[in-house]
């Protein structure tokens, strides 16, 4: 007869201690109407601390605003900033996934249009093996612009149909 002795969980994966103060493995999705400027401003103090670890702070598809001055003013080590440009959403998410799981980054920030359900699930899976904290800044204006363009395309198609 087997008896469970003690209070340790049966699965060895549950024996590992998880530090509650570490944000690694967490991906926050933030929605922005100003290209992520206020969101970057709010996470800049944390980025300054993370940049002292000697690992990369990866910025993927950062918009053309004065993020360098904002980060430098917050105390981020500018020699630890790595800029990445993706040609499309697929490359952007792939770069984010690689940067989060590589172990060479302490933080990853990506700018994107709002993700569909499949891509959100993909990021949830990436978060399980991430070794850095991640922020995904979704431009809500891009989504409304897409809907407006899609409506215009449908209107043109209907007019051509008659």
């Amino acid at each position: 007869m087997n008896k469970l002795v003690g209070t340790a969980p049966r699965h060895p994966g549950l024996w590992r201690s998880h530090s509650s103060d570490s944000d690694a493995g967490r991906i926050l999705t933030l929605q922005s109407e100003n290209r992520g400027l206020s969101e970057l401003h709010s996470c800049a103090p944390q980025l300054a601390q993370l940049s002292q670890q000697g690992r990369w702070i990866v910025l993927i598809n950062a918009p053309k605003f004065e993020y360098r001055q904002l980060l430098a003013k917050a105390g981020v080590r500018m020699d630890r900033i790595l800029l990445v440009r993706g040609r499309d959403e697929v490359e952007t998410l792939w770069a984010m996934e690689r940067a989060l799981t590589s172990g060479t980054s302490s933080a990853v920030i990506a700018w994107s249009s709002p993700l569909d359900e499949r891509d959100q699930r993909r990021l949830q899976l990436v978060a399980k093996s991430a070794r850095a904290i991640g922020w995904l800044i979704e431009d809500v204006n891009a989504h409304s612009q897409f809907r407006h363009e899609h409506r215009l395309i449908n209107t043109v198609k209907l007019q051509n149909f008659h």
Side-chain angles (χ1 to χ4, degrees), residues 74-141:
V76 175
R77 285 181 50 192
M78 299 310 289
D79 64 329
R80 301 311 318 158
I81 299 291
L82 181 64
L83 298 174
V84 176
R85 289 273 170 221
R87 288 181 285 201
D88 55 20
E89 294 299 318
V90 173
E91 277 192 6
T92 299
L93 289 176
W94 180 83
M96 186 175 193
E97 178 180 339
R98 297 298 300 157
L100 285 166
T101 58
S102 69
T104 60
S105 307
S106 56
V108 179
I109 304 173
W111 283 261
S112 169
S113 59
L115 300 180
D116 61 14
E117 190 175 315
R118 183 194 65 175
D119 289 335
Q120 289 174 359
R121 178 68 182 138
R122 177 180 173 182
L123 280 184
Q124 289 173 353
L125 294 173
V126 168
K128 292 181 179 183
S129 59
R131 300 166 87 188
I133 184 170
W135 286 276
L136 178 68
I137 300 175
E138 294 182 334
D139 183 4
V140 295
N141 295 326

Side-chain angles (χ1 to χ4, degrees), residues 7-120:
T7 59
R10 290 180 180 222
H11 190 276
L14 298 176
W15 294 346
R16 289 188 221 127
S17 64
H18 298 285
S19 66
S20 59
D21 58 348
S22 173
D23 287 330
R26 190 173 68 166
I27 301 173
L28 303 173
T29 301
L30 308 171
Q31 295 191 345
S32 177
E33 293 181 0
N34 63 356
R35 300 179 307 159
L37 183 60
S38 59
E39 289 77 11
L40 189 61
H41 189 270
S42 67
C43 68
Q46 187 173 7
L47 293 175
Q49 291 176 342
L50 292 171
S51 70
Q52 302 306 317
Q53 295 177 355
R55 297 189 303 165
W56 293 108
I57 305 290
V58 182
L59 305 179
I60 303 170
N61 289 346
K64 306 283 188 217
F65 61 71
E66 301 302 321
Y67 65 87
R68 290 178 195 250
Q69 288 82 2
L70 186 146
L71 294 176
K73 186 176 179 182
V76 175
R77 285 181 50 192
M78 299 310 289
D79 64 329
R80 301 311 318 158
I81 299 291
L82 181 64
L83 298 174
V84 176
R85 289 273 170 221
R87 288 181 285 201
D88 55 20
E89 294 299 318
V90 173
E91 277 192 6
T92 299
L93 289 176
W94 180 83
M96 186 175 193
E97 178 180 339
R98 297 298 300 157
L100 285 166
T101 58
S102 69
T104 60
S105 307
S106 56
V108 179
I109 304 173
W111 283 261
S112 169
S113 59
L115 300 180
D116 61 14
E117 190 175 315
R118 183 194 65 175
D119 289 335
Q120 289 174 359

